Amino acid sequence: MANGFVPYSGIWKFYYPYRKRVNLLPLGLIALLCCFSYFLGVWQHGESGKATESVRNPCPTEKHSSTAAGASLTLDFGAHHGIEVLSSLTVQPRKYEACDVKYSEYTPCEDHERSLKFNRNRLIYRERHCPAKHELLKCLIPAPFGYKNPFPWPVSRDLAWYANVPHRELTVEKAGQNWIRVDGDKFRFPGGGTMFPNGADAYIGDIERLIPLRDGSIRTAVDTGCGVASWGAFLLSRNITAMSIAPRDTHEAQVQFALERGVPAMIGVIASKRLPYPSRAFDMAHCSRCLIPWHADGGLLLMEVDRILRPGGYWILSGPPINWKRHWRGWQRSEEDLNAEQTAIEKVAKTLCWKKLKERGDIAIWQKPTNHIHCKRSRKVIKTPPLCSPEEPDAAWYENMKACITPLPEVGEIQEIAGGQLAKWPERLTAVPPRISSGSVEGITAESFIEDNQLWRRRVSRYKNLISPLAQKGRYRNLLDMNAHLGGFAAALIDDPLWVMNVVPTPAKPNTLGVVYERGLIGTYQDWCIFPKLKFHL
């Protein structure tokens, strides 16, 4: 009291020492009210059984008439998130048995037996064909017998367990090309290839002497007919991420080898449908003796490559027919045949307005124009292929290829890059993508893009606190983001030794996969309501 304060009703109040008379009437009324409240609470406690019953049975089975018919309506404001309530509402999980071990490499829409029922023309039978409802497996796909955790990256680039991919066919057929060999209970990948006997790294070095690979201008690539994906594996050391694709053919495990190595890959073939990527996705496309007839059907397949190449992107071809004067005997083809094929490819490239940059040794490189100002003018002379009619160029899920050139976005000047200039890697990852800054992605602004990045950095930090293996460098190599949106999850993990397959569901609005690629990330379309095409061991 000497300090001039005294506690009163839980609140500190000033005490006035000069006030000597105290009125007892207010104090008496307060005491009376307190007693009344206490006895009222005791009386209500006796009704608690009814309240408890209301919480335990929030959805009574009795059928009530509507309030319009005069029935009384009782509103229950009690908490309904207790354990007892949840247990009464939880649906029992459905259990599935394991499939037979023969299905350990089963991929629903890439089944070899089903594919034989389809047209073999233009490799249509090797495209994606999903099972009918009565063919669906309702069991869990088992791992191969003796499966082991893959080697951590970067060791996995050169080694894989034999038990994980138990196929020897390639070690026999490609024995002289240094693709793969068996080493005890492991596979070893020396990095060789049909067109790079000195190894993929030396081959990439040859490409690097023709175009820049380390200045950050090239970040995303696609390798058609990738084999065991050694080209993509060795590009990673140059900060270039390649989407390696190969069909499920006689070497049914080629893509699985790539995934076991920790290299981005998916089953795919360029045949009659568009590849499941947006337009202007890749900085570079590559084919090393992939045996694709690029000149066939008026160059239809090259038109698809043109669609997915960004303005100024590169197409690299090695193998037949390049350098045919040296290799024609070994390829067991006539000089006339190979010369005619190369002439036809050169003609298609010219009609696409591509410029041939270099042909040195076994490698030829073309470059797509940075805009279509000249190309549109040339259509007055070169009638075929025409420019496609205005449509959604990013539509690529079960879309047929079209015999026309996918038009680039309009520009005002010849020096301008269609669609906008991309920042170099690594700035490209966090810079606002041109598709967003131009306003072409509905509902997404530069501000919301930046906010999304910040949000995912916080989320991934939280994930690592909750999932301790995710915080261990090298514990995981490949992750699948089933609803990638802007790729924020992958961007937040960019410093970890892993890669993310960014999936944008086909019903998603807006379509954001183009933004993912403009950030220097990779991904694909997928309709989860049908069946997954991706084959991953996570």
Side-chain angles (χ1 to χ4, degrees):
M1 295 175 67
N3 294 327
F5 291 95
V6 60
Y8 180 74
S9 300
I11 303 175
W12 289 94
K13 281 185 171 286
F14 285 108
Y15 169 71
Y16 296 95
Y18 58 81
R19 197 172 182 182
K20 296 181 179 179
R21 296 185 62 184
V22 177
N23 191 347
L24 297 178
L25 182 61
L27 294 177
L29 290 174
I30 292 172
L32 184 64
L33 287 172
C34 289
C35 293
F36 177 77
S37 299
Y38 172 77
F39 287 112
L40 181 63
V42 171
W43 176 78
Q44 287 183 331
H45 184 70
E47 301 294 315
S48 62
K50 297 178 182 178
T52 303
E53 180 62 29
S54 176
V55 173
R56 290 179 179 174
N57 187 22
C59 303
T61 56
E62 291 85 353
K63 192 173 183 179
H64 296 282
S65 60
S66 67
T67 55
S72 62
L73 177 63
T74 301
L75 297 179
D76 179 12
F77 294 98
H80 286 220
H81 53 273
I83 296 176
E84 291 180 295
V85 176
L86 289 177
S87 62
S88 67
L89 299 177
T90 300
V91 178
Q92 292 298 318
R94 185 174 181 178
K95 295 183 179 179
Y96 291 92
E97 300 297 327
C99 302
D100 189 279
V101 71
K102 69 179 181 179
Y103 291 108
S104 64
E105 293 184 346
Y106 178 72
T107 307
C109 301
E110 302 284 350
D111 182 63
H112 176 66
E113 293 184 4
R114 185 183 302 107
S115 69
L116 297 178
K117 302 175 184 178
F118 294 89
N119 192 343
R120 295 200 172 211
N121 182 41
R122 290 174 49 194
L123 298 180
I124 290 175
Y125 75 108
R126 286 182 177 164
E127 289 184 317
R128 174 187 169 96
H129 302 288
C130 292
K133 188 174 182 179
H134 69 276
E135 298 177 293
L136 296 178
L137 287 181
K138 296 183 178 179
C139 53
L140 302 177
I141 303 297
F145 181 77
Y147 184 86
K148 302 178 183 179
N149 286 334
F151 291 97
W153 183 264
V155 176
S156 64
R157 188 190 69 179
D158 304 321
L159 291 174
W161 295 110
Y162 174 80
N164 293 6
V165 198
H167 294 279
R168 293 178 178 266
E169 295 89 345
L170 286 177
T171 65
V172 176
E173 184 169 338
K174 304 294 184 181
Q177 298 173 13
N178 220 22
W179 278 27
I180 180 174
R181 62 172 181 262
V182 177
D183 185 1
D185 59 351
K186 298 181 285 293
F187 283 115
R188 191 172 295 276
F189 302 90
T194 308
M195 295 309 300
F196 33 96
N198 297 323
D201 201 46
Y203 171 76
I204 294 171
D206 292 337
I207 296 174
E208 195 169 2
R209 283 183 276 275
L210 303 177
I211 57 175
L213 296 182
R214 295 181 187 265
D215 67 350
S217 60
I218 297 176
R219 167 62 184 174
T220 58
V222 61
D223 189 12
T224 52
C226 67
V228 295
S230 288
W231 188 72
F234 283 86
L235 272 177
L236 289 168
S237 64
R238 293 164 171 83
N239 277 327
I240 296 175
T241 303
M243 177 74 79
S244 298
I245 61 174
R248 188 182 181 93
D249 56 10
T250 53
H251 311 307
E252 60 178 346
Q254 285 191 53
V255 165
Q256 188 60 38
F257 277 125
L259 294 171
E260 284 293 325
R261 298 177 71 181
V263 179
M266 60 185 288
I267 298 174
V269 63
I270 182 166
S272 69
K273 305 292 184 186
R274 283 181 170 181
L275 294 173
Y277 315 119
S279 64
R280 298 180 280 131
F282 297 100
D283 305 320
M284 178 168 60
H286 175 258
C287 161
S288 175
R289 202 174 184 182
C290 58
L291 304 180
I292 294 173
W294 297 112
H295 61 296
D297 299 305
L300 181 66
L301 304 184
L302 274 183
M303 294 177 207
E304 174 62 4
V305 172
D306 179 79
R307 183 186 72 85
I308 62 175
L309 269 182
R310 70 163 173 83
Y314 303 96
W315 184 58
I316 302 170
L317 176 64
S318 65
I322 304 303
N323 204 8
W324 58 266
K325 293 180 181 179
R326 176 183 175 186
H327 296 295
W328 67 275
R329 287 188 178 87
W331 291 339
Q332 298 180 347
R333 292 176 60 183
S334 68
E335 295 176 277
E336 293 77 16
D337 181 31
L338 288 164
N339 184 34
E341 181 178 343
Q342 178 154 356
T343 300
I345 290 175
E346 303 272 11
K347 181 179 178 181
V348 172
K350 186 175 181 180
T351 62
L352 294 174
C353 307
W354 291 2
K355 177 183 178 182
K356 189 172 185 180
L357 293 182
K358 302 280 185 179
E359 181 175 338
R360 184 177 300 172
D362 298 336
I363 299 172
I365 302 178
W366 286 262
Q367 186 174 25
K368 179 177 176 176
T370 55
N371 59 62
H372 273 165
I373 289 181
H374 284 319
C375 201
K376 288 180 178 179
R377 292 173 183 170
S378 70
R379 294 307 95 184
K380 298 176 182 179
V381 178
I382 305 174
K383 301 297 184 182
T384 57
L387 290 168
C388 299
S389 58
E391 59 178 8
E392 175 51 63
D394 292 348
W397 187 252
Y398 280 87
E399 288 282 334
N400 290 327
M401 292 182 190
K402 295 176 174 59
C404 54
I405 302 173
T406 302
L408 291 173
E410 295 290 338
V411 296
E413 299 178 357
I414 192 65
Q415 296 83 9
E416 190 177 346
I417 296 177
Q421 175 72 56
L422 292 175
K424 291 187 176 182
W425 184 264
E427 290 78 14
R428 178 172 166 179
L429 181 68
T430 53
V432 178
R435 295 187 193 226
I436 292 178
S437 59
S438 66
S440 60
V441 183
E442 185 179 356
I444 300 176
T445 64
E447 291 75 17
S448 62
F449 171 78
I450 294 170
E451 290 172 1
D452 187 78
N453 278 340
Q454 296 170 345
L455 173 65
W456 277 105
R457 281 197 292 269
R458 294 194 299 270
R459 283 178 174 172
V460 168
S461 177
R462 180 61 173 162
Y463 291 168
K464 290 182 176 181
N465 288 332
L466 295 174
I467 309 169
S468 57
L470 186 61
Q472 300 171 13
K473 296 283 186 179
R475 174 62 180 84
Y476 297 113
R477 177 58 186 165
N478 57 356
L479 300 179
L480 177 66
D481 190 347
M482 298 174 67
N483 187 15
H485 191 45
L486 303 178
F489 174 67
L493 288 165
I494 200 65
D495 293 327
D496 290 7
L498 56 81
W499 56 273
V500 178
M501 181 66 81
N502 295 281
V503 175
V504 172
T506 54
K509 300 296 180 185
N511 180 349
T512 56
L513 192 55
V515 171
V516 170
Y517 274 94
E518 286 190 341
R519 302 189 69 177
L521 305 170
I522 59 169
T524 184
Y525 293 115
Q526 177 58 261
D527 184 349
W528 296 115
C529 298
I530 304 179
F531 302 101
K533 179 177 182 177
L534 308 175
K535 184 177 180 184
F536 287 88
H537 280 302
L538 298 179

